[in-house]
Amino acid sequence: MKDETPARAKSAEPQPEPHLDTSGDSDEPAFSWLTPAGKGSGTAAGSSASPAASSPADSPAAASSTAGGGSTVEGGSAGHAAGASSAAARSSAVAGGAESTPGSRNGSIQPESRADRKAAEAAAEAPGEDSSLVFKEPLPTSALQVRPPEEEVERRNAQRESAANAKPVAPRVMQVLLAVFFPLVLLILAVRAVTSPLFLWVEYNRPGFPGDGYGFSTDDRMTYGSYAVDYLSNWSGPRYLGDLVHRSGDKLFKDGEVSHMADVKLVILSTFGAGVLLVLFSIIAILYLRKRSTGGVRRGLFAGSIVTLVIILGLGTLAVLGWQQFFTEFHRIFFADGSWTFSLDDTLIRLFPGQFWIDAGMVIAGLVLLASLVTLVLTWPTRRRRGLAKDGAAPAAVQE
């Protein structure tokens, strides 16, 4: 049966001229990869029914039948069977990922006819097919989907939680510095308030202030005392006090008194300079905490007010229990022994008697105590200031 077809082809009449009429051809490209983007499966389905799909050059079986010019039914059946088996082989090669040929695209064989291409596409896109038969290129990031061991995952989670719960060190340091600077700044400001002509006027004119037994009137005290207080805060030399004289022409201040006032001036100016630096550092700490730590300023000032109260109460207790001993030990800290003791008729003692220093100490302690109490009340950690919820309400964020 297989040998009859070639024999009949050889004994047949000469082959007719090829069919060149293109009026019935469609506009579908010869290959699927030439199809413009955007055309769907409807265009492909419509093109399969065009007359070009049944042209003589599309199938070997059709070519064999035409060349034989009257082949038997048996021979035609064999040709169609051979064509069908060829199309099935091509379809299985495309679906199974067969090796590519020079005319292939994306690693699949391009069938020779449109009918075979449609059969191959239908076989590749048929639902229910095993996805393992279709070649899929792995993603470039597929290695990132590999899960590390459980121990490593737990360790990383623990480190992440520890880093999230750990509070930064810088805000804590700023809070501590603010708490330490606060009592010092208050003390320096109180001292500055006492070393002023206003305090002198209040002291000399208040009822019960002891008078001078050597002849200074209240006006004399106010004049000479103002020179002494002004000297502590200006940049003049010792001559500022050394050149002052009585109405009689005698020196108002002795050399020992001028020397002691120079020592006092050095301590006062150094204290005021340190106070300016502390105020600048406190402002920097406050600005930093306002940006980096919610409630940091409040906590720093609250701690500072507590420290201030402890210091003032402690020093006040020592002063009440023994004022003379407290006054002596205070002078020994800053001045050499013998440089700050004078007789009762010296000008410094007549201008600034013992009661003056008791009153000055009380005013300093009272100002610092009042400022610390006000700060304590304003920074007391209430629920609202801490941002906690009240009666089940949502917590409010408080920025200080």
Side-chain angles (χ1 to χ4, degrees), residues 20-357:
L20 300 179
D21 185 10
T22 61
S23 61
D25 291 347
S26 65
D27 295 334
E28 180 186 4
F31 301 98
S32 60
W33 55 271
L34 292 176
T35 303
K39 288 191 176 183
S41 59
T43 304
S47 63
S48 62
S50 62
S54 60
S55 64
D58 287 341
S59 172
S64 174
S65 174
T66 305
S71 59
T72 62
V73 176
E74 183 178 2
S77 301
H80 284 295
S85 62
S86 175
R90 294 188 187 95
S91 301
S92 61
V94 172
E99 64 179 6
S100 302
T101 62
S104 64
R105 184 173 180 263
N106 295 331
S108 61
I109 299 176
Q110 296 290 340
E112 296 179 0
S113 65
R114 293 174 183 161
D116 295 340
R117 289 198 304 273
K118 298 304 177 182
E121 292 176 2
E125 298 177 0
E129 291 289 340
D130 188 3
S131 59
S132 62
L133 298 178
V134 182
F135 174 75
K136 294 181 179 180
E137 184 179 359
L139 296 175
T141 59
S142 59
L144 299 178
Q145 301 177 0
V146 179
R147 183 176 178 82
E150 292 296 332
E151 295 79 4
E152 182 67 16
V153 174
E154 294 178 359
R155 185 183 66 83
R156 293 181 181 179
N157 291 337
Q159 291 181 350
R160 190 179 300 108
E161 291 183 5
S162 177
N165 297 329
K167 295 183 179 179
V169 179
R172 289 176 172 267
V173 173
M174 288 296 180
Q175 291 182 24
V176 173
L177 292 178
L178 186 60
V180 172
F181 293 162
F182 183 72
L184 298 177
V185 170
L186 289 183
L187 183 61
I188 294 173
L189 291 177
V191 171
R192 184 66 185 90
V194 169
T195 56
S196 64
L198 177 61
F199 179 74
L200 285 181
W201 184 88
V202 172
E203 274 294 291
Y204 292 150
N205 290 276
R206 78 170 181 84
F209 190 79
D212 179 34
Y214 296 93
F216 279 166
S217 63
T218 302
D219 185 63
D220 292 337
R221 278 182 163 180
M222 190 66 199
T223 302
Y224 301 147
S226 297
Y227 276 105
V229 172
D230 291 340
Y231 172 72
L232 296 179
S233 57
N234 61 30
W235 298 99
S236 301
R239 290 181 54 189
Y240 188 86
L241 296 179
D243 292 346
L244 294 177
V245 295
H246 288 287
R247 294 187 183 93
S248 60
D250 298 333
K251 283 188 175 183
L252 183 63
F253 296 98
K254 298 178 181 179
D255 292 341
E257 293 175 295
V258 174
S259 177
H260 176 65
M261 290 300 291
D263 295 339
V264 174
K265 180 175 184 176
L266 178 61
V267 173
I268 291 295
L269 291 180
S270 301
T271 302
F272 290 167
V276 172
L277 294 179
L278 292 178
V279 169
L280 292 178
F281 289 153
S282 299
I283 294 175
I284 293 174
I286 290 173
L287 295 178
Y288 178 85
L289 291 175
R290 285 181 63 87
K291 293 183 178 180
R292 299 298 181 88
S293 177
T294 302
V297 177
R298 178 186 58 79
R299 289 189 293 269
L301 293 178
F302 179 75
S305 61
I306 294 178
V307 173
T308 305
L309 289 176
V310 172
I311 293 175
I312 290 300
L313 293 177
L315 294 178
T317 302
L318 294 177
V320 171
L321 294 177
W323 168 255
Q324 192 62 37
Q325 184 67 23
F326 178 81
F327 186 77
T328 301
E329 295 299 329
F330 174 79
H331 278 72
R332 285 179 178 176
I333 295 175
F334 300 100
F335 312 111
D337 292 339
S339 64
W340 53 272
T341 55
F342 308 98
S343 61
L344 294 178
D345 60 347
D346 289 338
T347 303
L348 287 180
I349 301 300
R350 295 167 63 184
L351 294 176
F352 309 111
Q355 188 62 44
F356 176 87
W357 299 111

Side-chain angles (χ1 to χ4, degrees), residues 356-382:
F356 176 87
W357 299 111
I358 294 175
D359 295 345
M362 293 177 61
V363 170
I364 291 174
L367 291 176
V368 174
L369 184 64
L370 179 62
S372 61
L373 287 176
V374 172
T375 305
L376 185 69
V377 172
L378 294 178
T379 59
W380 189 270
T382 60

